[in-house]
Each structure stands twice: as C-alpha cells, then as structure tokens.
C-alpha cells in the first residue's frame, strides 16, 4: 500500500523537505495550481497558494485529544495554552506574513528573532547588553468582560505580569515561577519596570545571547491583573479575560470548548493588511481521544481540521491512507518531526543500557532503511543524527565528519550487534534470550513503531515489554532522578531537534531528558553555552555536545518521519501551520476563513 500524494500534499512535501534538507535534487517539480473557480481568489505571498477571497463568519471546528486542567499558565505552563491561546496574548509571536521558506510554521516552537513580529509589544530594542526595552502597542483593549470591562492595555499590565512570573515587586515573597525559570534558564532578571505607560524596561543581571528567544518561547502570556487580583488566579475559564481575537465562552469538561469572536480585536491580517481579524465568528474544539472517532468526524464534515491544536496530528500513515481512500478531497499537510517517538536509552546503572556497547548493539539491530521504506511508506529519512538534526547546518556534528567506525555503529548489522552483546557478557540463554528490557512510551505517540523495534530486538535475542504512559506518568518520569526503563519515548523528547533556535537547542542538553544522562562533559558544555555571548562560540559548544550524544548513543535513532495535519477543502488560508510560536496554539486560527459556498456544496446542505 502507498500513500496517495494529492496536489496539496506534494506542494507541502516540497516545501517541508526543502526547508529541512530532505528533498533530493531533481525531485518531482511542484505541480501547477488547481484550476480556479469562478469565485474571486487571492494569492498568498507567504505560501505561494491561491485561496478563495477571505470572508467573514462561520464556525471553525477542530477535533482535539486533550484539554488542560486550568486556564492559568502559571499553574499549567505548557498545557493552559490549549485553551488560552488566542484569548490571552504575548508580547511577540511568529510573523504570519513571512515566507514559509524562512519560517516553517509547522514546527511551533522554532521561532527566532528574525521570524518574529510584535503582538502586544509593537517593537523592542537592546540599548546595551543588559537592558531590554519593550515598546508596548497602543490602542489595545482588554475584552469587554468584568472585571476588565474593555479598559486600555498598557505597560503597567506587562510589568505586573513579569513581576508575577519572576517573583519581583509585590510578588517578591511568593518567589519566581519554577516552570518559567526552567524555560528561561540562564537569563538573570534584575528588574522589570514600566518607565511610562508604553515602555517596559527589563534589566538583566548579565548579558545573554538569546534574551528574545527566551522571552518568545517562555510562555509569557499577559494575564489580566484585576482578574487575578479579584479571584486569586486565572484557573477558572469562566473568569478568563484577555486581549486576543477570541473570548472563551463555554467549556464542558471532557467534551468541548467554544470561543466567540472578539469584535474589538486590534489585529489585522499580516498577509492582507486591510482585513481586520478574526475572520470566523466562532471556534470549537471537540474532545475526541480516539483516532477512529476523529477520522469519522472528518469524513462526515463534523470537524474542519486536526493538527497541533489539541495534539490531534495523524501519526500513522495507515490511518492517513484510510482517510484518503474515503475522503480524497481532504487536504494533507506533513510536518517532519524527528523527535516524535524517539526511544531514549537509559544510560545510568543498574539499567542494562548503561553499557555503551549494549547501546551500540541495539542501535545496529534496527533496520531504519527498511522501516523508512515500508512502515513510513517511503516518506521517512533513515539518515542518523544526534541531539541536533543534521538539517540544522552549523549546529549539528556533520555526518561527513563522523569517523567510519561511528558511521558503522549507526548501520544495520545484526550479526555485529550479537557479537557486541556476547562480548558485553550477555550470551543467549536456553530460551534464546539474553535479557529483557522495558520500554515506556508516552500515549501521544503511535505504538506501532516501538512494536517494530521490539521485533528487531527479538531477532538478536533481546526480550522486551512495552508500557504506554499518560502525560502525568511521563511527566513524573521526567522529573524523577532515576527510572527503571531501558527505553523511553517520552513527552519531553527533543532528541533530533531540527531548528536553530538557541533556547531549545541549549535546553536539549540541560538534563530534561529521559536517558537520565549525567555526563559531566555535557553539563560543562551546557553551562558554557548559556554563559556565551558569542554566536560562533555558542554553535561550536552545541556541536561538541551533539558529537558526544552521537558517540554515546543516547537514543535509538528514529527515521525523520512525518506527522500530518489535515483540513477540509473549505478551510482557506491554512498551510498546515502548528501555530505562531511556542504556546500560540489557537492564535493562527483567527487568520483562517471558511469558504461557505464550497462547504455547502461539498456537504450538500
């Protein structure tokens, strides 16, 4: 069986593979655009696509797999944005109008300063290496909802929020938010001061190379001060007030969420600047943890799209094929995410995988070439990598520089794998097995891949058992000092990061992984990286750390393979984007519109 590559999928594959260095020279040319309908159309300069002209109205519905426990990102840093994205805003986000050749919007956390534009802050500057200035946008108003009642937003709101995040001013006795501190590690905040109604000055304790990157990826949503002062926090969705294009108006736990259009939103479409946002009147998210239910909803038109919103990607190519057979009109948008489902190897005793020769043997036991050609239906790239994907030129240890013996350790060779296990003191027993290992996998990922790996391990005499974990279990595993599993495919898996964002690359080496590495070389390089103020030096430190992860086999490398966002043909303006920066899960939905005539004609009602 093969995946049906529709016009949309080919265009998207060309874009993504070119951006990640995976599209081969001489590959099939992008097909000509589909014949335009009689309806007025517009050309999208960012994506190169032609859409029907933007129109206002309608409801955009997404199928999602998760809702957060609260709407206060102080308490639920990475989860709250599932509900507050598009409601509560940040100071800056990704530039929606930027060419997708420059900003690959499908990898939501990879946002560098060059890919960024102002949101609540109109601009920013650094007059010296320890002073950061936010110039706050004028004319922004809080939602017309108590207790804010539409008052004007200003710099003092920003000051209040940063004081809350960092334990400054009136919040000095509360201390800083630990989760925020982990995200902005290395940036010392001395003070945050609104010097007037439209200017915020941030003083750093020392220079830092990636101050803006830390702020962009730090979940710094600007909550309504009066709301939190009145209720004590922003946990209850009923009290949530923001400045964004949507207002959260209904939430049924375990069922659905509904947002209504903010009629007084300040923003305009970056691609079509005469158009005030948002286009749709309403957003809805329907909670559907079961994939078969989500696919059925797509087939019947009950939902309009699935993807990063609510963690509802299609991760199985078999599921994609099934959908395409019954609903070939649905648009498919692949995103290549090598980190998704990578199996980390536990490198600490008493785990069997603490022995690097065992890790080498397990690496050589798995045939990525065959998996890419069969399981990933030719859409996977089996090339090996370390903590930084090879597509990130200048940041990763280049494969061309790997010694031959290291390259051989990443080449399928089950005979050599068995020799290494014999030499390591693990001969086959009477039952044919050498030892048993346990694999923990976060439920977000499709379980078939580790099951394939288990088959390869079985062939060299390694028995294995798979454990599927909830987000709570995976998070607990992350925070524990040790764990009992030899392999982990976990929630916070950044192995194979494919971006050049300083924040995420440096954090990849700070111990936030499930291999529980406590390598002093990695620690020293990470500390040097967060202290560095020279970009070339920083890149060199990251490359050195990446080389260590390659040589030490910190993870069982997984083919770079696609997940898929999907959308109905009547959803216009969408190119598979995951969002507009880290945590901006719903913000981009304000920039999409529905071709109501096409929807009616397609559904026949």
């Amino acid at each position: 069986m093969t995946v049906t590559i529709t016009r949309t999928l080919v265009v998207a594959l060309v874009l993504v593979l070119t951006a990640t260095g995976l599209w081969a020279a001489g590959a099939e040319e992008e097909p000509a655009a589909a014949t335009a309908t009689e309806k007025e159309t517009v050309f999208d300069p960012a994506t190169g696509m032609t859409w029907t002209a933007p129109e206002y109205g309608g409801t955009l519905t997404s199928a999602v797999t998760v809702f957060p426990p609260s709407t206060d990102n102080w308490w639920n840093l990475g989860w709250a944005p599932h509900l507050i994205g598009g409601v509560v805003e940040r100071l800056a986000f990704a530039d929606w109008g930027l060419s997708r050749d420059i900003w690959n919007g499908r990898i939501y956390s990879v946002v560098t300063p060059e890919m960024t534009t102002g949101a609540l802050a109109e601009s920013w500057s650094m007059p010296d290496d320890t002073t950061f200035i936010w110039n706050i946008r004028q004319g922004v108003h809080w939602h017309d909802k108590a207790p804010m009642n539409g008052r004007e937003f200003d710099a003092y709101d920003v000051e209040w929020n940063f004081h809350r995040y960092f334990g400054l001013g009136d919040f000095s006795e509360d201390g800083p938010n630990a989760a925020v501190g982990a995200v902005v590690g290395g940036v010392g905040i001395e003070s945050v001061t609104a010097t007037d109604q439209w200017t915020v000055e941030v003083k750093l304790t020392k220079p830092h190379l990636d101050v803006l990157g830390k702020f962009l990826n730090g979940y710094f949503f600007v909550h309504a001060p009066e709301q939190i002062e009145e209720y004590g926090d922003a946990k209850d969705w009923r009290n949530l007030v923001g400045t964004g294009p949507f207002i959260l108006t209904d939430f049924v736990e375990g069922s659905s969420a509904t947002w209504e259009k903010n009629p007084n939103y300040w923003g305009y479409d970056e691609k079509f600047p005469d158009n005030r946002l948002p286009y749709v009147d309403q957003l809805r998210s329907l909670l559907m943890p079961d994939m078969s239910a989500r696919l059925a909803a797509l087939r019947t038109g009950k939902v309009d799209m699935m993807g990063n919103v609510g963690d509802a990607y299609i991760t199985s190519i078999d599921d994609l094929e099934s959908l395409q057979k019954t609903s070939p009109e649905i648009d498919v948008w692949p995103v290549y995410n090598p980190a998704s489902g990578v199996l980390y190897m536990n490198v600490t005793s008493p785990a069997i995988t603490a022995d690097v020769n065992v890790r080498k043997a397990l690496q050589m036991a798995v045939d990525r070439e065959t998996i890419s050609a069969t399981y990933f239906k030719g859409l996977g790239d089996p090339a090996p990598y370390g903590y930084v994907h090879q597509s990130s030129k200048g940041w990763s240890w280049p494969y061309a520089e790997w010694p031959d013996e290291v390259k051989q350790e990443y080449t399928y060779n089950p005979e050599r794998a068995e020799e290494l296990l014999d030499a390591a003191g693990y001969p086959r027993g009477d039952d044919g097995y050498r030892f048993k290992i346990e694999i923990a996998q976060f439920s977000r990922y499709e379980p078939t891949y580790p099951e394939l790996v288990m088959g390869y391990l079985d062939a060299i005499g390694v028995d294995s058992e798979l454990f599927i974990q909830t987000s709570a279990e995976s998070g607990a595993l992350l925070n524990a000092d040790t764990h009992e599993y030899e392999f982990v495919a976990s929630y916070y898996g950044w192995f194979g990061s494919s971006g050049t964002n300083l924040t995420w690359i440096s954090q990849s080496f700070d111990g936030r992984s499930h291999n529980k590495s406590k390598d002093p070389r990695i620690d020293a390089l990470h500390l040097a990286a967060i202290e560095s103020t020279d970009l070339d030096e920083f890149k060199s430190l990251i490359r050195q750390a990446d080389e260590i992860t390659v040589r030490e086999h910190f993870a069982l490398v997984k083919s770079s393979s696609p997940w898929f966002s999907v959308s109905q043909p009547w959803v216009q303006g969408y190119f598979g984007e995951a969002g507009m920066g880290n945590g901006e899960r719903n913000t981009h939905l304000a920039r999409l519109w529905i071709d109501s005539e096409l929807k009616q004609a397609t559904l026949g009602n």
Side-chain angles (χ1 to χ4, degrees):
M1 298 173 68
T2 58
V3 174
T4 302
I5 306 295
T6 63
R7 180 188 71 85
T8 303
L9 181 53
V10 172
V11 174
L13 280 169
V14 170
L15 177 77
V16 176
L17 294 177
T18 300
T20 58
L22 303 181
W23 188 258
E28 181 179 351
E29 295 292 329
E30 179 181 328
T35 303
T37 67
E38 294 298 322
K39 195 170 183 179
E40 181 185 356
T41 61
V42 293
F43 176 73
D44 180 348
T47 66
M49 299 289 286
T50 298
W51 313 107
T52 59
E55 63 178 278
Y56 289 89
T59 298
L60 186 64
T61 303
S62 300
V64 304
T65 65
V66 64
F67 282 135
S70 88
T71 53
D72 191 337
N73 68 303
W74 169 275
W75 298 100
N76 303 107
L77 188 69
W79 287 112
H82 285 276
L83 288 178
I84 71 173
V87 179
V88 182
E89 296 189 286
R90 299 191 304 171
L91 296 175
F93 47 36
D95 186 350
W96 186 252
L98 197 63
S99 168
R100 298 304 182 264
D101 290 331
I102 301 172
W103 170 58
N104 179 355
R106 297 179 190 168
I107 305 176
Y108 75 95
S109 62
V110 182
V111 180
T112 62
E114 294 75 19
M115 302 175 183
T116 307
T117 190
L120 292 178
E122 197 164 35
S123 62
W124 48 84
S125 62
M126 288 195 72
D128 59 65
D129 58 9
T130 58
T131 304
F132 194 94
I133 302 295
W134 293 104
N135 300 307
I136 302 306
R137 187 180 300 276
Q138 300 183 38
V140 175
H141 291 263
W142 292 97
H143 294 158
D144 190 11
K145 176 180 176 180
M148 305 308 291
N149 300 315
R151 80 157 172 82
E152 191 169 18
F153 166 86
D154 61 24
Y156 299 105
D157 295 321
V158 177
E159 177 192 74
W160 187 94
N161 273 268
F162 272 76
H163 283 185
R164 182 180 183 231
Y165 283 124
F166 289 105
L168 302 172
D170 292 341
F171 297 92
S172 57
E173 293 184 4
D174 300 329
N177 181 287
V180 168
V183 174
V184 299
V187 176
I189 306 296
E190 180 179 295
S191 64
V192 180
T193 306
T195 57
D196 59 43
Q197 191 176 4
W198 308 114
T199 309
V200 176
E201 179 187 79
V202 180
K203 282 289 188 180
L204 309 180
T205 58
K206 59 184 178 180
H208 194 281
L209 185 63
D210 190 35
V211 177
L212 181 58
K214 296 287 190 179
F215 287 154
L216 290 174
N217 289 286
Y219 297 96
F220 290 113
F221 289 89
V222 182
H223 283 275
E226 288 96 317
Q227 175 204 349
I228 295 176
E229 288 171 349
E230 180 170 334
Y231 298 105
D233 55 48
K235 290 181 179 180
D236 190 334
W237 70 269
R238 299 170 185 83
N239 304 326
L240 190 66
V241 186
T243 57
F246 298 109
I247 301 170
L248 184 59
T249 56
D250 188 57
F251 177 65
V252 181
E253 188 172 353
S255 178
S256 65
T258 303
W259 298 259
E260 302 292 338
K261 175 179 183 174
N262 173 14
N264 301 313
Y265 185 53
W266 59 267
Y268 289 78
D269 192 331
E270 294 84 354
K271 298 176 185 177
F272 311 107
D274 291 334
N275 296 348
R276 191 155 191 166
L277 299 173
Y279 290 111
V280 296
D281 289 337
Q282 186 182 78
L283 294 182
R284 291 203 74 207
S285 286
L286 304 179
L287 186 64
M288 298 180 178
D290 181 67
M291 175 61 79
S292 61
R294 297 198 297 275
L295 295 177
L298 279 167
R299 291 184 176 104
T300 59
K302 184 178 180 180
V303 301
D304 300 310
M305 59 191 305
M306 291 182 357
N308 184 56
V309 174
D311 290 347
Y313 289 106
I314 294 178
T315 60
S316 164
I317 295 177
D318 287 339
D319 286 335
L320 178 66
E321 285 182 333
S322 172
L323 177 66
Q324 288 187 312
K325 284 181 178 179
T326 59
S327 307
E329 75 282 0
I330 288 179
D331 289 327
V332 178
W333 313 97
V335 54
Y336 276 75
N337 184 6
S340 58
V342 166
L343 294 171
Y344 286 77
M345 298 201 211
N346 190 343
V347 299
T348 59
S349 295
I352 296 170
T353 46
D355 186 335
V356 67
N357 288 314
V358 171
R359 300 198 297 272
K360 291 177 183 179
L362 301 180
Q363 194 84 256
M364 299 169 77
V366 178
D367 186 355
R368 292 191 310 280
E369 296 274 356
T370 296
I371 291 175
S372 292
T374 56
Y375 177 66
F376 293 121
K377 310 297 175 71
L379 297 178
D381 179 8
Y385 48 84
Y387 243 62
V388 184
H389 196 269
Q390 287 288 302
S391 61
S392 295
K393 307 299 183 184
W395 300 86
S396 58
W397 184 35
Y399 182 75
E401 297 179 10
W402 293 16
D404 287 342
E405 63 270 20
V406 175
K407 291 179 179 178
Q408 291 303 314
E409 292 168 1
Y410 286 82
T411 301
Y412 178 56
N413 189 341
E415 293 80 11
R416 178 57 180 156
E418 295 219 46
E419 291 174 0
L420 286 171
L421 293 178
D422 287 339
Y426 297 105
R428 287 181 182 262
D430 293 338
D431 60 357
Y433 288 107
R434 304 169 183 278
F435 49 76
K436 182 176 181 178
I437 63 173
E438 295 180 335
I439 303 172
Q441 165 137 327
F442 180 38
S443 58
R444 175 185 295 183
Y445 304 133
E446 213 275 326
T448 308
Y449 175 74
E451 291 169 352
L452 283 174
V453 169
M454 292 165 70
Y456 281 107
L457 299 183
D458 189 81
I460 63 168
V462 175
D463 193 12
S464 57
E465 185 175 3
L466 180 64
F467 297 87
I468 304 298
Q469 294 190 319
T470 65
S471 58
E473 291 169 331
S474 184
L477 197 66
L478 169 72
N479 294 318
D481 291 332
T482 60
H483 64 73
E484 69 274 25
Y485 303 103
E486 278 76 21
F487 279 148
V488 175
S490 64
Y491 173 39
Y492 288 103
W494 295 110
F495 200 96
S497 297
S498 56
T500 57
N501 179 272
L502 311 187
T503 297
W504 289 106
I505 289 179
S506 64
Q507 282 183 349
S508 293
F509 301 105
D510 72 354
R512 297 179 75 223
S513 73
H514 285 301
N515 63 15
K516 298 305 172 187
S517 59
K518 297 179 176 63
D519 192 310
R521 298 169 298 172
I522 294 285
D523 292 343
L525 288 166
H526 172 67
L527 290 174
I530 62 177
E531 294 291 333
S532 176
T533 57
D534 180 84
L535 183 59
D536 289 336
E537 177 190 48
F538 187 95
K539 287 183 177 181
S540 174
L541 294 166
I542 296 300
R543 284 194 297 271
Q544 292 175 58
D546 188 47
E547 178 177 349
I548 293 172
T549 67
V550 170
R551 290 183 178 274
E552 296 294 333
H553 296 265
F554 279 0
L556 186 69
V557 173
K558 178 175 180 282
S559 294
S560 304
S561 55
W563 285 0
F564 302 93
S565 297
V566 292
S567 59
Q568 301 286 1
W570 54 78
V571 176
Q572 300 290 290
Y574 183 57
F575 202 60
E577 293 89 353
M580 293 176 63
N582 198 34
E584 297 283 2
R585 289 180 178 267
N586 304 319
T587 309
H588 63 306
L589 303 183
R591 291 153 174 82
L592 310 183
W593 62 95
I594 295 171
D595 183 335
S596 57
E597 291 182 11
L598 180 57
K599 181 176 182 179
Q600 184 176 16
T602 303
L603 296 180
N605 53 34

